[in-house]
Structures are given as C-alpha cells and as structure tokens.
C-alpha cells in the first residue's frame, strides 16, 4: 500500500487526497482459507461550488396581490446544494408565512405579493451530498448571490383566483428511491387564504404514514415503498374558486436481495444451480464472481444465464470456494455471497452404526436403517449371516425381506427363521464400509380387550374406554398411547382426558364429556419393537346444538308479521321435538318469547324441499319496529338447546297503533279544571311517525257525546304537558261550581297511518275547591315536656262542606309569650278528630289552631286555644350502675338514684334499658321499676354480651340515660372504652366470651 492510503481493520483511509488520483469506484475484498469475497462498490467523488456571477440579475416587477417567483440561478456545483433566502439582512422563515414558499428547487415563490414584500433579496447556497451519500466535511462551502430586486406595482387589489404554478406539483428528490423520505410540493398563485389538500387515487388511498408540512403545501411520505406509487392530486381552494393538478409518483430502487445466496455442501459429481434473486427498479444486471474474480461463461464448466449460475459434474479441487452475485442498476449495486463445499470420501458408519442387538416381535415387522456417511452417495447391499441377500427394491408392502428405496432393510411378517446377523454394505468410488447387527425374535403384543363399534354417552357424563394387552414383560416394556381422530392425546394440555385404570383394567377416562369429544378413539399398545391397536367411536348425546343462520324470507314482511327461516341444528342424538322463537326490538333490547313449543311438523317447509331448513310465520308483531329473532330447539333432554345467532334487524312496515295507552287517570289541579293523565306510548308501540293522542271526557251519568281534543307530540303545547314518561292534560271547565265531580275519561292514540284503539274508560274527579268549614272546639292536653295532643269536633266529610274530600289536618302552634319565636306546624293525613304535635319547648304556653285541607288548599284556621307543655323530665342520670348475676336467665342491677328540681316534673320511677350488643338501641327492651334504685332484668341468654343504660322518667318524659355498661349472664364486663372494643360473634358463643375475657385480661395488665 502506498503512502497515499492506509488500511486498518478493513478501513481504508485516504492520505493527502487528490481528485485526479483518488476519484473512482472502490470495493473491499476479504479472503481466508475457504476463498474470497468482494463488497458492493463504493464511489468516491469530489464536490465543488463555483461563485455567483458578478452581474446583478434584472429587477422583477409584479402587480400588487399577483403571484410571482424569484429565480436563484445557482452557480455551477457538484454534486448538490441546499438553498436559503434573505430579505435585506433577515432570513425568510416560510413556516411562519403562508403566502410565500421556498421550494427545494431553490426558487422563492409568492402566492400573492404585498407592498411589504418589496425590497432586495439574496439567495444563499451550500454544498451538500446527494440523497443517500455523505459529505466528508462538516463545514461545506457557501455562496451568496448579489441583490435580487422585487418591485411592487399599483395600489389597487385584484381578486385573483387560485392557479397552481406550472412547476408544481414537484417531487424531491427528483428521482425518488425506495426507503427515502419523499416530499411532493404544491404552490398556487392567488389571493390568500388558500387551503391545500391532497388525495391519492385508487382503492388503497393515501398512505397512513403520510403527513403534510408548510400549511399543507408539502406532502411528506417517509420510508417510501413501491405500494406508495400512484397518482397524487393537489387541491387548492380559494375564496370562491379552486384548482387541482395531478402528479404521478414512481419509485426507483437500488438492488436488494430478498433471498440471499445460501451456503451449499454437495457431493462430488453432482450438479448445482444458484439463482440470484434481486429486486430493483429499473431492472438490475448481474455478474458473478468466484473468489472475488469475475466469472465468464465456460470457465471451469460454469454456465451463466443472467442471474442463474449452473455448475455441472462438480469437482472438489476445481469448484470449492466463495461465490458472489452482484446486482447493479443506475442507483447502485448489491452483493450476496455464499460458500460452495464439494465433498468426496469413503463411506463410514462411525456416526450411525447398526445396533449390535436388534429385537423384533414374532409375526411383526422389522425395519433396519442403514445410514452411512459418504460422498458421492453409496450403493447399499445387505448380507445375512455373511451371505449376500437377493433383495428387490420395493415401497415396503411385500411380505418377507425387501430393500426400501432409501437402502433400509425391511422384513414384513418376521419369524424365528429370520434370526441372525445382518450386515449393511455401503460402497462408492472412494471405497467400501460395512456395519453388522444381531436380530433377536421375541413374543409379540396382543390386545385382549373387545370394544363395541360405538360407545354412546350423554353430555357431561364420564366415559371409560378399556384397553388391555398381553406381552413378554420379561423382555420388553409396554406403553399405551391414545389417539383421538388420528391425533395423539396430550394429557398435560387437556385435563378432561385421564389415562388411568378401573378395577385393575387400564383405559382412558373422558370427564365431563362434550360434543367436541365425539369421534374415533384408538388405543395403541406399543413397545420398542412392536405395537397393536384397537379403536372405537364415542358418540355424545345432549340438547340440540345451535340452529343455523336465521333470516327472513324476502318480501314476507307485513305490518304485523314476517316469515323467518333457519337451518336445522345438530340434534346430538335424540330427534328435535320442538322449536322456540324469541325476539327483541331496537326500542326494547330484551329477548321475549314469541312462538313457543312449535313442533317440527309446524315448521316444515311445504313441498319436501330443503330438508335441512325450517320456517315459521310470526304474527302479532307491532308495526314499524325493527325486530331481531333467535331460535333454539329442544329434544328429550330437559335442558334447552343452544340459541342461534340473532338475525339481522328486520324492519316492519308502519300502520295505525295497535296498543292503547296505559295508566289513564288524573284529578287534582287548580279550581275549575279537570286534569287527565296517562303514560306516553312507548317507542315500541308507536307503529309509525307523527304520533298524537285523542283525549275524551264527559260527566258521569250523561249520555251525550264525549268532548275531545287531539294533540300531536310535536305540538308546542304538548311539550308543556310531559314530565318524564307521564302526560297531564288540563280541561278548563269555566265554572267554579263544577268542583269535585266525577267524569268519564279515556285516551286514544293515532299516528300518520290513522287512529289506534282507545283506552278503557275510567272515572276522574274534577279539581277540588277550598274547604268552606273550619275545625271547631279545639282543645287538648300535654303529652310530655315537648309534645301536645290536640283535639277538635268531628267534621262533615261531604262534597258541599269540604268542596271535595278531607285529605288531612294542619295543626299550627305559636309561642304565646314570644310571637317572634318560630312556630311548629304538623301535618296529619286522613280523617281524624285529634293528633299530636312534637318538637316543642318544655314548660311553655302555646296558641294552637287547626285547619282542614284537601288538594285545593287549606280552610281558614280554627279559633285559638291556649295549651302548655310539662316541666322538664329528669335532667340528671343515675350513677354508679352495677350489674351482677342473679339467676339462670336474669341479672341484678342497682344504681344511685336522681333527684328532681324546681323546673322538673316529679320523678315517677326508673327504666332499665338493655339490648343485645351489635343491635340498634332503638330495639332495646325496657324493664320499668318504681322509685327503687334496683331491679332485676329477665330474659338474658347465656353466651351473649349485652349493653345496658338506666334512666329516670316522669310526666315530662324520659330523662337522661346513664353511660353504657356491658354485661353477660355472669354480670358486668369491666371494659375500658378508651382502649378496648367489645365485638359480638353471632355465629357461636365461644368467640364472644373469648373476646370479653381477653379484654378483661388486657385491662388487668394495664398500669
């Protein structure tokens, strides 16, 4: 190597580079003991960039808002350059402006020019590499043009329509290659705003990886592929008009190999063919190399036909080596290489000798393999006890000894006469070799189990298939292999299969057998030298399978019926006895039975056609609904069969409504009206568009025609009548004396196709009036310190007196001494002559009034009555409560009593309030005692924890309760509530007592 080049670890370095000496094409050659290969060529070129001319270009003049462009006119350069533009001293950033565009061809385009665009421009170019190449410098040379002047003429704006420039659409690189990032540019002249969009013709459409840049003026396709070829259209839309142009994108490709050459190891004297499969656009040309030297036709017996290399009558010393195929086109070259190794040696049994002892089963078959290593392929012959055997080459189906096409020896129906030494002899041009084995005959395998042809079973049963064989256990081992429909059962994957035994007999268990377990089962008893098999068929019975596709018979649908058809399901044994049809609608997606218990005869198709099909006409459907249907079958099994897949939605024709509205009623409202209410017709019952209602009413007992009113759901007034799914229509009776009178009402329904049915008639009362009477003789007494009982005289519950019906009474209470204090109002519903008022203050006088009310409102208040509450109940609670065991179901409780003061009622006695721990105190039991400060609580069960509180009571009510104490039948449980929690174990008594004992122990241990 000269001083100008240095090679280090396969890397070539140029020293003092010179264009005349170093420019050219290079390739790397690698060699070892097996041969040589060469790389794809690499080209070294030198770049150059001349200066811009010293003569300034002419001035570009353009009318205001017209489109134009400035030409860079770059200097001479090699290989490529990149462009930038400046206006004055500032670089132009096109991403920020939608009306000018810097193309990859170097020109600066303006969709429209404005006065601000006038000025001096400079084009700046930098040397760069061609796509796919690399520059050897990080600081490429740069040149800047002289001033390029742009002048704007005129002062009036014209409305120019969009017009795509003749240079566009344009693709960069100009010759796009496979794998490159391709950009297609589009630029139009015209008044902004201009909106750009792209479309690709054909079924595939725009590549999903494509995206746009620069206000959608540039379409980018990364990693372009042949599938991206096609016609792309740029659309530009202006204020009122648009323009579009097509561009045909074609992709070139440097050759590459989908299937590179593979190494070959072949026998001497054989032939070999190598095919070099390269993909390229345009099509590649091919050359072949052996050990990095060009192969020409006829060299060493090699034949070349384009990308195919053939070598006949291979010779080890002549054809061994490394072979390379180079594919080239205008975009470059690619090389694929492989080794050819020619073998020639004497046969050898070193790796695959015959077994020294070969065991065979009497009356069975024996195959002795003969697998020597040799090149070329040897001729095979056999010796028995040293004597050459006269064998015919067969496919192995003849009885007795025979030689197979692969050289193996096969003996069909072997017997004790075939015992002895067998030798395989292999010979080729390089020599001969042999290997010997001793054949020993042993007893065969016989299956003693007899299986029926078919084993019937029911779904989810457990089936056992027996398989027992006799064999010479002293000479061979036996295994059982099970096959299902020819496939070996993998017991580690399918846990429903179990290889086990029953009552000492080996066999196969099939647990929870299902339909897919139906088929042929084969038991194979095998040893290393023989095998025997037996088979049977298992059939699984159960409910019918899934009926086939459910569909309508075209043209069978009417407003209320449709004929559907389906395929008979697999019966899984017993014949199908009946079919059932269910349906849902798009308005109500709940499956409902429509036609049940249909016999097979009822769904047969007339004419004895399509024996595997059934059909049925379903009537009673609701018009204008979209129905889906599904079918299932039954046989003698109690479980239903599988549901079919739902049919497609079947749309029925519209008709007048078939179902009446529901929940017709009403009543109430302001004085002088009749309120009629009903539930909106469901979507499923509408039967067509333009649904409306007909409201009928007349006085009870009259025979004249109904008054009526028709309202559409689309009417504005109807929207005011609807609340949720309920409709309320108000009839103005125009007479206040028509209060609370019975009316006969009903509601009809209609739609676009006509009137539907009316609802049944019902009685609705007109609105009530304000009651004229008021309660009299109001009186009462105190209940306790916070409640009063108020009474009044009975009132006549008549239409005339009440102007309706008494709905209840309102009791109003006001503080007699403090009118500013908020009063208390109690409402009691129903007819009565007295009730209570609670939530009052102790020892307070109140003015009490009573009003009667109905749905129209309240009567005038009664006369005032002065009533007062009691003094306070006991304000102190009993202390020092102690609990101890008393009897088999009782405990003794004692405490220190309380005294009452000036503002408390006199003490009447005490209550012991107790309850099972874990329950609500509201369910507690009270044991009432006199003024004694002790008492006995009965009804205590063993093994449970209870809670207890003691309180005093008087005329003023129950007083304050003592703190909660816990106890069992054995007495008080001393629990410190600050550190412990008592828990109830309801399932048994022992855990509860254990928790209590543990808590007691914790308390004792604490300091």
């Amino acid at each position: 190597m000269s001083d100008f080049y240095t090679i280090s670890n396969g890397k070539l370095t140029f020293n003092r580079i010179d264009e005349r000496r170093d420019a050219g094409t290079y390739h790397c050659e690698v060699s070892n003991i097996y041969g040589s290969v060469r790389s794809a060529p690499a080209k070294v070129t030198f770049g150059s960039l001349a200066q811009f001319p010293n003569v300034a270009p002419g001035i570009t003049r353009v009318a205001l808002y017209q489109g134009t462009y400035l030409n860079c006119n770059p200097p001479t350069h090699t290989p490529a350059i990149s462009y930038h533009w400046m206006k004055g001293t500032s670089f132009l950033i096109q991403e920020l402006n939608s009306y000018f565009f810097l193309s990859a061809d170097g020109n600066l385009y303006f969709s429209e020019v404005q006065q601000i665009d006038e000025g001096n421009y400079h084009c700046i170019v930098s040397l760069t590499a061609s796509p796919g190449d690399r520059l050897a410098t990080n600081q490429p040379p740069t040149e800047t043009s002289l001033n390029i002047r742009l002048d704007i003429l005129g002062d009036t704006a014209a409305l120019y329509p969009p017009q795509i420039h003749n240079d566009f659409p344009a693709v960069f690189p100009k010759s796009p290659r496979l794998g490159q990032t391709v950009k297609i540019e589009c630029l139009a002249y015209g008044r902004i705003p201009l909106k750009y969009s792209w479309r690709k013709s054909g079924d595939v459409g725009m590549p999903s990886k494509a995206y746009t840049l620069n206000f959608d003026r540039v379409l980018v396709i990364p990693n372009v592929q042949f599938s991206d070829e096609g016609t792309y259209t740029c659309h530009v839309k202006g204020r009122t008009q648009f323009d579009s142009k097509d561009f045909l994108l074609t992709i070139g490709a440097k050759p590459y190999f989908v299937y590179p050459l593979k190494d070959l190891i072949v026998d001497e004297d054989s032939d070999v063919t190598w095919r070099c499969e390269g993909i390229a656009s345009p099509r590649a040309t091919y050359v072949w190399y052996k050990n990095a030297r060009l192969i020409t036709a006829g060299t060493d017996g090699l034949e070349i036909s384009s990308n195919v290399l053939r070598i006949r009558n291979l010779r080890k010393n002549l054809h061994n080596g490394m072979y390379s195929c180079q594919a080239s086109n205008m975009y470059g070259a690619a090389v694929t290489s492989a080794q050819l190794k020619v073998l020639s040696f004497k046969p050898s049994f070193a790796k695959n000798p015959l077994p020294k002892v070969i065991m065979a089963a009497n009356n069975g078959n024996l195959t002795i393999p003969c697998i020597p290593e040799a090149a070329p392929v040897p001729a095979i012959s056999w010796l028995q006890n040293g004597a050459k055997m006269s064998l015919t080459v067969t496919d192995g189906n003849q009885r007795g000894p025979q030689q197979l096409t692969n050289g193996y020896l096969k003996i069909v129906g072997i017997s004790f006469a075939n015992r002895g030494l067998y030798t395989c002899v292999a010979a080729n041009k390089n020599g001969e070799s042999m290997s010997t084995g001793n054949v020993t005959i042993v007893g065969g395998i016989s299956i003693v189990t007899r299986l029926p042809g078919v084993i019937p079973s029911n779904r989810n049963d457990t089936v056992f298939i027996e398989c027992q064989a006799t064999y010479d256990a002293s000479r061979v081992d036996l295994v059982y292999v099970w096959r299902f429909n020819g496939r070996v059962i993998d017991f580690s994957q399918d846990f429903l299969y179990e290889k086990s035994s029953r009552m000492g007999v080996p066999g196969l268990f099939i647990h929870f057998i299902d339909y897919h377990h139906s088929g042929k089962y084969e038991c194979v008893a095998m040893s290393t030298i023989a095998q025997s098999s037996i088979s049977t068929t298992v059939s699984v019975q159960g409910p019918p399978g899934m009926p086939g596709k459910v569909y309508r018979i075209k043209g069978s649908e009417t407003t209320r019926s449709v004929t559907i058809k389906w395929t008979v399901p697999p019966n899984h044994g017993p014949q199908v006895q009946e079919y059932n049809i269910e349906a849902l609608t798009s308005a109500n997606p709940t499956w409902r039975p429509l036609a049940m218990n249909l016999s097979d005869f009822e769904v047969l198709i007339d004419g004895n056609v399509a024996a595997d099909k059934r059909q049925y006409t379903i009537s009673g459907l609701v018009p204008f609904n979209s129905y889906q249907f599904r079918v299932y079958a039954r046989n003698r099994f109690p479980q239903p069969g599988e549901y079919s897949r739902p049919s497609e939605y079947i749309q029925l024709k519209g008709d007048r409504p078939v179902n009446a509205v529901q929940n017709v009623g009403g009543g109430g409202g302001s004085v002088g009206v009749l309120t009629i209410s009903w539930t909106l017709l469901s979507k499923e019952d509408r039967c067509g568009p333009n649904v409306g209602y007909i409201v009928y009413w007349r006085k009870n007992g009259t025979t004249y025609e109904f008054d009526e009113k028709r309202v559409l759901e689309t009417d504005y007034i109807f929207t005011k009548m609807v609340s949720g799914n309920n409709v309320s229509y108000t009839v103005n009776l125009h007479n206040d004396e028509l209060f609370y009178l019975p009316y006969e009402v009903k509601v009809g329904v209609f739609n676009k196709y006509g009137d539907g049915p009316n609802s049944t008639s019902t009685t609705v009362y007109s609105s009530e009036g304000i009651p004229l009477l008021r309660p009299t003789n109001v009186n009462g007494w105190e209940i306790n310190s916070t409640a009063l009982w108020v009474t009044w005289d009975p009132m006549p519950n008549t239409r005339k007196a009440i102007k309706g019906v008494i709905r209840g009474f309102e009791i109003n209470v006001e503080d007699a001494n403090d009118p500013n204090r908020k009063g208390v109002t109690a409402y009691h519903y129903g007819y009565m002559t007295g009730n209570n008022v609670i939530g009052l203050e102790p020892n307070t006088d109140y003015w009490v009034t009573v009003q009667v009310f109905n749905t129209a409102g309240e009567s005038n208040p009664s006369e005032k009555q002065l009533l007062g509450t009691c003094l306070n109940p006991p304000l102190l609670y009993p202390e020092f409560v102690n609990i101890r065991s008393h009897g088999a179901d009782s405990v003794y409780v004692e405490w220190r009593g309380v005294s009452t003061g000036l503002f408390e009622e006199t003490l009447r006695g005490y209550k012991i309030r107790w309850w099972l721990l874990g329950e609500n105190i509201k369910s507690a039991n009270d044991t009432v005692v006199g003024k004694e400060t002790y008492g006995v609580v009965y009804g205590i069960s063993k093994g449970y924890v209870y809670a207890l509180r003691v309180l005093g009571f008087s005329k003023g009510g129950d007083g304050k309760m003592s703190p909660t104490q816990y106890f069992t039948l054995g007495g008080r449980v001393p629990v410190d509530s600050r550190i412990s929690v008592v828990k109830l174990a309801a399932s048994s008594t022992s855990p509860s007592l254990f928790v209590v004992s543990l808590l007691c122990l914790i308390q004792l241990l604490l300091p």
Side-chain angles (χ1 to χ4, degrees):
M1 186 63 64
S2 69
D3 295 337
F4 302 113
Y5 308 101
T6 302
I7 297 178
S8 176
N9 294 326
K11 180 179 180 181
L12 175 64
T13 303
F14 294 85
N15 304 316
R16 298 191 299 277
I17 193 165
D18 180 80
E19 181 175 2
R20 287 176 299 175
R21 181 184 65 244
D22 298 326
T25 301
Y26 295 77
H27 69 266
C28 175
E29 184 176 309
V30 182
S31 303
N32 64 10
I33 62 174
Y34 299 107
S36 302
V37 293
R38 57 184 286 163
S39 68
K43 190 175 183 181
V44 175
T45 61
F46 286 77
S48 64
L49 177 62
Q51 293 182 343
F52 278 96
N54 290 327
V55 180
I59 299 175
T60 301
R61 295 181 176 87
V62 63
L64 185 66
Y65 292 113
Q66 191 175 358
T68 190
Y69 74 96
L70 300 180
N71 195 331
C72 180
N73 289 321
T76 304
H77 58 273
T78 300
I81 56 175
S82 61
Y83 300 86
H84 298 281
W85 280 83
M86 293 178 65
K87 181 187 177 187
T89 59
S90 300
F91 280 96
L92 297 180
I93 303 175
Q94 62 178 343
E95 287 77 8
L96 303 179
N97 297 277
S98 62
Y99 69 93
F100 68 76
F101 178 69
L102 175 56
S103 173
D105 66 4
N107 294 338
L108 177 62
Y109 293 86
F110 295 85
S111 293
E112 65 174 24
V113 292
Q114 303 174 17
Q115 200 63 49
I116 196 175
D117 298 321
E118 188 173 77
N120 293 321
Y121 291 80
H122 300 275
C123 178
I124 304 170
V125 296
S126 300
L127 191 66
T128 187
S130 300
D133 296 340
R134 183 170 58 89
L135 279 179
T137 177
N138 295 324
Q139 293 182 327
T142 300
E143 294 292 335
T144 303
S145 71
L146 298 177
N147 287 344
I148 302 174
R149 180 69 185 179
L150 175 65
D151 286 347
I152 310 302
L153 306 177
D155 55 4
T156 58
L159 185 61
Y160 297 102
Q163 181 180 5
I164 297 177
H165 193 276
N166 291 335
D167 293 344
F168 297 95
V171 64
F172 298 95
K174 290 188 176 297
S175 298
R177 296 192 320 210
L178 189 73
Q180 290 181 331
T181 295
V182 172
K183 296 181 179 181
I184 307 176
E185 298 179 348
C186 185
L187 187 282
Y189 290 163
R191 290 295 305 274
I192 59 174
L194 299 176
K195 185 176 181 181
Y196 293 79
S197 61
W198 295 86
R199 181 176 59 83
K200 182 180 183 233
S201 60
D203 297 334
V204 178
M206 188 68 68
S208 60
K209 60 189 175 183
Y211 58 93
T212 59
L213 296 173
N214 207 325
F215 301 98
D216 299 329
R217 294 179 292 193
V218 180
L219 176 66
V220 183
I221 308 175
N223 189 24
V224 70
Q225 301 295 314
F226 290 122
S227 59
D228 299 324
E229 292 183 322
T231 300
Y232 291 79
T233 304
C234 172
H235 294 270
V236 184
K237 183 178 180 182
R239 298 185 181 184
T240 58
Q241 296 176 290
F242 65 90
D243 192 14
S244 64
K245 284 180 70 175
D246 294 338
F247 176 81
L248 178 62
L249 176 65
T250 57
I251 306 299
K254 172 185 173 182
Y256 66 96
F257 296 101
V258 178
Y259 302 105
L261 298 181
K262 294 183 177 180
D263 296 337
L264 295 178
I265 301 177
V266 294
D267 293 344
E268 195 172 50
D269 297 331
S270 63
D271 299 338
V272 69
T273 299
W274 255 321
R275 185 177 299 274
C276 185
E277 297 288 353
I279 296 179
S281 178
R283 183 174 300 190
T285 58
Y286 299 89
V287 292
W288 289 86
Y289 297 88
K290 177 187 175 185
N291 293 328
R293 299 295 176 263
L294 184 66
I295 299 174
T296 58
T299 301
D300 296 334
L302 277 65
E303 301 176 9
I304 298 177
S305 177
S306 184
N307 64 329
V308 179
L309 172 65
R310 293 185 180 88
I311 309 176
R312 304 185 188 277
N313 195 22
L314 284 165
R315 291 289 178 267
K316 179 178 180 179
N317 58 352
L318 183 62
H319 295 123
N320 274 350
M322 299 298 299
Y323 290 79
S324 302
C325 171
Q326 177 175 303
S328 307
N329 67 2
M330 60 185 293
Y331 296 117
V335 175
T336 177
S337 302
Q339 180 187 4
L340 176 62
K341 187 175 184 180
V342 182
L343 300 179
S344 180
F345 55 88
K346 172 186 174 181
S348 170
F349 286 95
K351 288 187 178 180
N352 301 300
L354 267 65
K356 294 192 177 295
V357 178
I358 304 172
M359 299 181 66
N362 188 33
N363 293 322
N365 299 333
L366 173 65
T367 299
I368 306 175
C370 179
I371 314 174
E373 288 186 320
V377 176
I380 303 296
S381 60
W382 288 89
L383 306 177
Q384 181 182 9
N385 295 325
K388 185 173 183 180
M389 300 178 68
S390 179
L391 301 173
T392 57
V393 178
T394 70
D395 57 2
N397 292 326
Q398 295 184 7
R399 190 167 184 82
Q402 56 204 289
Q403 184 171 328
L404 303 181
T405 54
N406 59 1
Y408 291 8
L409 175 65
K410 184 174 182 179
I411 305 175
V412 177
I414 195 169
S415 64
F416 289 100
N418 298 117
R419 291 178 297 181
L421 298 175
Y422 287 82
T423 303
C424 175
V425 180
N428 64 9
K429 69 178 185 178
N430 297 311
E432 181 181 273
S433 184
M434 63 183 63
S435 180
T436 302
N438 186 12
V439 174
T440 303
I441 310 300
V442 298
I445 299 173
S446 177
I447 294 181
V448 298
T449 300
R450 294 294 176 261
L451 295 176
V454 177
I455 299 177
S457 63
N458 293 336
R459 188 184 185 196
N460 292 325
D461 284 353
T462 295
V463 173
F464 180 73
I465 308 174
E466 295 183 5
C467 183
Q468 188 172 22
T470 59
Y471 64 101
D472 187 352
S474 63
R475 303 290 295 274
V476 295
D477 293 326
L478 185 71
V479 296
Y480 292 97
V481 176
W482 286 90
R483 293 191 178 98
F484 172 54
N485 290 334
R487 177 183 60 85
V488 176
I489 297 175
D490 186 349
F491 293 93
S492 65
Q493 297 296 321
D494 196 334
F495 300 106
L496 297 181
Y497 290 113
E498 180 188 3
K499 186 162 61 171
S500 185
S501 61
R502 185 175 67 180
M503 300 177 65
V505 178
L508 173 69
F509 282 98
I510 311 174
H511 300 286
F512 301 104
I513 195 166
D514 210 336
Y515 303 126
H516 65 269
H517 293 122
S518 296
K520 181 180 179 181
Y521 287 83
E522 181 183 12
C523 172
V524 182
M526 61 171 55
S527 68
T528 56
I529 59 174
Q531 69 179 39
S532 182
S533 65
I534 190 173
S535 64
T536 186
T537 299
V538 174
S539 67
V540 182
Q541 300 182 350
M546 179 190 296
K549 180 178 176 65
V550 179
Y551 59 96
R552 68 180 173 93
I553 295 179
K554 190 175 181 180
S556 67
E557 59 270 25
T558 66
T559 59
R560 301 209 61 188
S561 67
V562 67
T563 300
I564 62 171
K565 200 171 188 178
W566 64 90
T567 302
V568 173
N571 54 31
H572 294 152
Q575 293 298 314
V576 171
Q577 297 174 345
E578 64 180 43
Y579 290 93
N580 299 274
I581 303 174
E582 295 183 349
L584 59 75
T585 65
S586 57
N588 184 1
T590 301
W591 288 105
R592 291 154 288 170
L594 282 187
M596 308 300 288
N597 306 323
L598 301 172
S599 68
D600 191 58
F601 178 77
E602 292 178 86
V603 296
L604 282 174
I605 302 175
D606 294 336
N608 195 26
V609 295
D612 64 334
K613 304 291 184 183
R614 297 292 186 269
Q615 72 180 38
Y616 186 74
T617 299
I618 306 170
S619 57
L621 304 178
V622 181
F624 206 63
N625 274 292
S626 290
Y627 278 90
Q628 272 189 310
F629 299 95
R630 69 180 183 184
V631 180
Y632 69 92
R634 286 182 178 272
N635 55 18
R636 67 173 175 81
F637 284 87
Q639 302 87 0
E642 292 182 74
Y643 285 104
S644 70
R645 297 187 183 277
S647 68
E648 294 181 351
Y649 275 104
I650 301 170
Q651 179 66 48
L652 299 185
K653 300 173 183 178
D655 199 355
R656 63 184 64 193
V658 297
N659 294 323
V661 298
Q662 301 295 316
N663 302 320
V664 176
S670 58
V671 178
V673 300
L674 172 65
T675 301
I676 304 171
S677 62
W678 66 92
T679 301
L680 274 174
L681 202 63
S682 68
K683 290 183 179 180
E684 196 174 54
D685 290 331
R686 302 171 79 83
C687 300
N690 303 333
V691 174
Y693 302 90
I694 312 168
V695 186
Y696 299 92
W697 70 91
R698 68 181 176 188
K699 272 188 183 180
N700 261 13
T702 60
T703 58
Y704 52 78
E705 292 294 325
F706 282 94
D707 291 321
E708 66 176 71
K709 176 67 176 178
R710 299 174 74 93
V711 287
L712 274 168
E713 285 188 349
T714 55
D715 292 345
Y716 175 75
I717 188 175
F718 187 82
T719 62
K720 301 296 184 181
M721 298 160 48
V722 178
S723 176
N725 287 328
N726 297 314
V727 185
S728 182
Y729 178 73
T730 300
V731 179
N732 195 336
L733 300 178
H734 303 290
N735 190 337
D736 291 347
E737 296 301 319
L738 297 178
F739 59 83
Y740 203 65
L741 290 175
Y743 283 80
E744 181 184 356
V745 301
K746 59 183 178 181
V747 180
V749 62
F750 65 91
N751 63 14
K752 169 185 175 181
Y753 302 102
D755 293 352
N758 296 327
S759 68
T760 56
S761 294
T762 187
T763 298
V764 175
Y765 281 82
S766 60
S767 60
E768 297 178 315
I770 300 296
L772 297 178
L773 297 182
R774 62 178 183 171
T776 58
N777 195 22
V778 175
N779 211 328
W781 56 86
E782 70 276 8
I783 298 176
N784 54 35
S785 61
T786 59
L788 295 173
W789 184 267
V790 183
T791 63
W792 55 87
D793 288 344
M795 296 188 66
N797 192 4
T798 63
R799 173 180 177 273
K800 185 175 181 180
I802 304 301
K803 285 198 170 183
V805 176
I806 293 175
R807 306 295 177 179
F809 293 86
E810 177 183 325
I811 304 175
N812 303 294
V813 177
E814 297 179 1
D815 194 319
N817 300 312
D818 185 2
N820 294 322
R821 178 181 287 182
K822 185 177 179 180
V824 176
T825 300
Y827 292 92
H828 298 284
Y829 293 87
Y831 184 84
M832 63 196 71
T833 58
N835 217 312
N836 59 40
V837 182
I838 61 175
L840 305 179
E841 295 293 329
N843 192 24
T844 304
D845 292 331
Y846 290 94
W847 288 113
V848 179
T849 60
V850 182
Q851 295 172 272
V852 64
F853 63 85
N854 59 19
T855 58
E858 302 156 342
S859 70
N860 291 324
S862 67
E863 293 182 356
K864 290 183 178 181
Q865 176 64 41
L866 186 65
L867 299 176
T869 55
C870 297
L871 298 176
N872 285 304
L875 298 177
L876 301 176
Y877 58 83
E879 296 180 306
F880 304 109
V881 177
N882 188 29
I883 310 166
R884 63 176 184 269
S885 180
H886 178 266
D889 65 345
S890 61
V891 293
Y892 180 85
V893 185
E894 60 182 352
W895 59 91
R896 188 172 77 177
V898 299
S899 59
T900 55
L902 181 62
F903 298 103
E904 297 171 81
E905 295 287 347
T906 302
L907 182 71
R908 289 184 174 179
Y910 295 93
K911 294 180 182 179
I912 304 173
R913 186 160 293 168
W914 57 277
W915 65 97
L916 189 64
L917 185 62
E919 293 184 355
N920 197 304
I921 191 174
K922 293 180 180 180
S923 63
N925 305 289
D926 282 347
T927 299
V928 181
V929 299
K931 294 184 179 181
E932 297 83 1
T933 57
Y934 59 87
V936 178
V937 177
Y938 294 92
I940 305 302
S941 299
K942 184 178 180 180
Y944 289 90
V945 180
Y946 295 86
L948 176 148
R949 302 180 77 175
V950 181
L951 57 99
F953 69 92
S954 66
K955 182 180 179 182
D958 289 348
K960 290 186 178 181
M961 292 186 287
S962 66
T964 304
Q965 302 292 328
Y966 302 97
F967 69 96
T968 64
L969 193 57
R972 178 173 174 268
V973 178
V975 177
D976 187 342
S977 61
R978 296 172 299 174
I979 61 173
S980 305
V981 176
V982 177
K983 294 185 178 180
L984 173 65
S987 60
S988 66
T989 60
S990 298
S992 177
L993 294 177
F994 172 76
V995 172
V996 172
S997 301
L998 180 61
L999 290 171
C1000 295
L1001 179 60
I1002 292 173
Q1003 187 180 32
L1004 291 173
L1005 292 174
L1006 288 173

